[in-house]
Amino acid sequence: MPHVAQRTSVFSESVIREMTRLAIIHGAINLAQGYPDFPAPAFIKQAAIDAINADINQYAITWGSARLRAAIAGKTRRFYGLDLDPDREITVTCGATEAMMAVMLAVVEPGDEVIVFEPFYENYVPDAAMSGARLVFVTLHGPDFAIDPDELRRAFSAKTRAIIVNTPNNPSGKVFTRGELEQIAALCQEFDCFCITDEIYEHILYDDHEHVVMATLPGMYDRTITISGLSKTFSVTGWRLGYVLAPPILSNAVRKVHDFLTVGAPAPLQEAAAIAIETADDYYPELRGMYAAKRQVLLGALREAGFLCHSPQGAYYIMADFSALGFEGDDTAFAHHMIKDIGVAPVPGSSFYRAQPGGHSGGASLVRFTFSKSQETLETAAEKIATL
Ligand SMILES: Cc1ncc(COP(=O)(O)O)c(C=O)c1O
C-alpha cells in the first residue's frame, strides 16, 4: 500500500474538537470550543440574506470583493491610522485559519525557524508542519503570562524567518503591551525577519487594555503581516471570513497561495461583511460590554470552586489552574473528569504547550474554558462547576 505524506504525521486531530465530541456524547456544556451559542447580530444576518436574494452568488474576485476590501481599508484607517491600498494590500480569505496557512506557505522556506509564544493557539503547529517551518517556542510565564526578555532574544537567530504574535491572545487572554511589541519589533529589525500577527480578537478587550497594531510601530509596516477576521467580532465563526493586511510584495505572494487553496471566500457573505464593517463602529463597544459581563460570571464561578485564574485582558478564554483542587491526575484526566462527572467541557492545557521529552508539558495543571456562551449557558455551567 502506498503511504500518506509524512507532513500529516506530526500533528493530530484538534484536541478542542475532540473535547466538543466528548461533550456531546456525555451531554456536557461545551466550554471547550470558542464559538458563540447565541445569535449573530441581526444586521449582519439580514445583510447576508439580502445579498443572496440580490444574486451575489458567484465567485467574488479572488482577493476579496471590492466593497469588502474598501470597508476593511476604511476601518483600518479609522481605528489604527493605517492607510492601506485595498487593491494591493488587502486579501480576503476563508477565515483567519486559511489566512495563517496561506501566509506561512507564502513566506516560509522549509527549514526556516518561526518563533511562537507558548501557550499557543494550536493551529500554528500544523501551519508550521505544512510549510516546513521549525517552531521555536518562547514561554509566557504565569501567573500573568509575562515575557522574559532574555528568553525572547535567545529565540532569534540567523535562521529566524518570522515570529507569530497573537494579541489579544488565545488561550491566555494576554493583551501584548506597546512596550512588549516594541521589544519584539526591535528584534525583528535586528534579525531581519517578518512579524505575523493574529489579531482575530482585536475588538474583544477588557478594562482599559488597548489593542496595539504591530504594523503601526516605527519600521514595522514593511515586515508585518496582519491577520484578522469576522468570526469572533460578529459571532459568525461558520461564515469563514478572514483577511490579510500586508505590503504589496507580501500580499502578492499570499494572494497566489490563497487563489489555489480556496479561490475565494463566500461571495454573499463578503457583501454582508462589508455592510457590517461599514456600519459597526458603535457595535464594538457593545461587544466588549457583553463579553466583560460574561467574563465575570465564569471567572467568579471558577475562583469560587478553587481554580487559580488570571483574569483575561482580552479574547474570551480563561486558563484555569486546578492544582489546588486536590485532583490526582493530569490535565487530560481532569478535562475528562469535568466532562463526565461535572458536566462542563474544558480543553486540557497541554494542547497549548509543546510536548516535552518524557511526556511532560507546560500545561499539565491547566484547563481552558471559553465564556463565548449565552448568560443562561454560563449560569448553568457555574452551577455545575460549584459541585466540583
Ligand atoms: C487565535 C486564533 N486565530 C484564529 C482563529 C480562527 O479564526 P477563523 O474562524 O477566522 O478561521 C481562532 C479561532 O479560535 C483563534 O483563536
Side-chain angles (χ1 to χ4, degrees):
M1 271 292 281
H3 48 75
V4 300
Q6 179 61 25
R7 71 174 76 86
T8 64
S9 68
V10 292
F11 53 93
S12 49
E13 203 217 340
S14 159
V15 175
I16 299 177
R17 282 190 286 276
E18 188 190 330
M19 292 300 125
T20 295
R21 208 171 44 234
L22 281 180
I24 294 167
I25 292 172
H26 294 281
I29 295 178
N30 185 358
L31 300 190
Q33 208 170 355
Y35 62 83
D37 67 346
F38 48 85
F43 62 86
I44 196 168
K45 290 191 292 194
Q46 190 58 50
I49 293 163
D50 293 346
I52 290 174
N53 282 332
D55 253 317
I56 306 182
N57 291 318
Q58 309 309 326
Y59 297 125
I61 299 169
T62 300
W63 34 91
S65 78
R67 183 168 182 182
L68 178 53
R69 281 180 289 117
I72 295 167
K75 186 203 113 169
T76 310
R77 194 177 314 112
R78 284 195 306 285
F79 280 77
Y80 307 125
L82 262 186
D83 208 0
L84 302 180
D85 177 353
D87 288 333
R88 299 194 309 149
E89 298 178 290
I90 298 176
T91 307
V92 176
T93 57
C94 294
T97 302
E98 192 229 333
M100 184 59 80
M101 186 67 84
V103 167
M104 294 282 280
L105 292 171
V107 304
V108 170
E109 301 284 5
D112 285 349
E113 291 185 356
V114 172
I115 300 171
V116 169
F117 291 100
E118 78 171 352
F120 50 80
Y121 174 54
E122 59 173 6
N123 282 29
Y124 305 148
V125 173
D127 291 335
M130 305 272 209
S131 62
R134 199 178 81 76
L135 289 178
V136 174
F137 296 93
V138 175
T139 304
L140 296 169
H141 296 284
D144 56 349
F145 298 99
I147 298 175
D148 176 333
D150 296 328
E151 280 180 30
L152 178 62
R153 164 165 276 283
R154 278 201 301 276
F156 281 80
S157 76
K159 291 194 194 138
T160 309
R161 171 64 61 142
I163 180 167
I164 297 176
V165 180
N166 168 220
T167 182
N169 187 264
N170 171 10
S172 70
K174 178 184 176 69
V175 173
F176 285 65
T177 63
R178 185 175 293 276
E180 288 170 331
L181 294 174
E182 282 169 354
Q183 278 175 41
I184 297 166
L187 289 163
C188 287
Q189 292 175 48
E190 182 180 334
F191 288 88
D192 195 18
C193 61
F194 295 118
C195 184
I196 305 169
T197 65
D198 178 343
E199 306 184 16
I200 188 98
Y201 298 101
E202 65 187 302
H203 293 292
I204 304 178
L205 296 155
Y206 307 110
D207 311 317
D208 51 1
H209 292 284
E210 182 204 4
H211 177 60
V212 179
V213 173
M214 178 63 100
T216 63
L217 297 189
M220 286 307 287
Y221 183 69
D222 285 343
R223 60 178 71 247
T224 301
I225 302 164
T226 307
I227 294 172
S228 193
L230 283 280
S231 284
K232 312 292 174 169
T233 304
F234 294 102
S235 304
V236 288
T237 56
W239 283 22
R240 315 307 306 126
L241 288 176
Y243 52 87
V244 178
L245 314 177
I249 293 178
L250 300 179
S251 285
N252 193 34
V254 171
R255 284 175 171 193
K256 285 195 222 171
V257 178
H258 159 71
D259 190 4
F260 294 103
L261 280 178
T262 62
V263 180
L269 304 184
Q270 290 195 49
E271 180 73 4
I275 293 167
I277 294 173
E278 286 163 7
T279 53
D281 289 10
D282 298 338
Y283 160 80
Y284 303 124
E286 266 174 48
L287 179 79
R288 278 187 186 210
M290 176 187 77
Y291 276 119
K294 294 184 190 301
R295 176 184 68 158
Q296 282 326 104
V297 175
L298 187 60
L299 202 54
L302 292 173
R303 285 183 172 157
E304 189 77 12
F307 286 94
L308 297 174
C309 0
H310 175 59
S311 177
Q313 302 168 335
Y316 48 47
Y317 306 95
I318 297 173
M319 279 293 246
D321 187 326
F322 60 86
S323 40
L325 292 179
F327 181 82
E328 307 245 327
D330 65 7
D331 56 320
T332 304
F334 184 75
H336 286 176
H337 164 59
M338 287 280 316
I339 295 171
K340 287 182 194 147
D341 305 323
I342 307 298
V344 177
V347 181
S350 55
S351 17
F352 307 101
Y353 288 82
R354 79 197 111 153
Q356 303 271 19
H360 171 78
S361 150
S365 67
L366 298 171
V367 282
R368 189 199 75 175
F369 295 89
T370 180
F371 51 91
S372 60
K373 303 295 165 193
S374 70
Q375 191 69 12
E376 195 192 349
T377 308
L378 289 174
E379 279 166 13
T380 313
E383 283 166 21
K384 290 177 183 279
I385 290 169
T387 67
L388 254 172

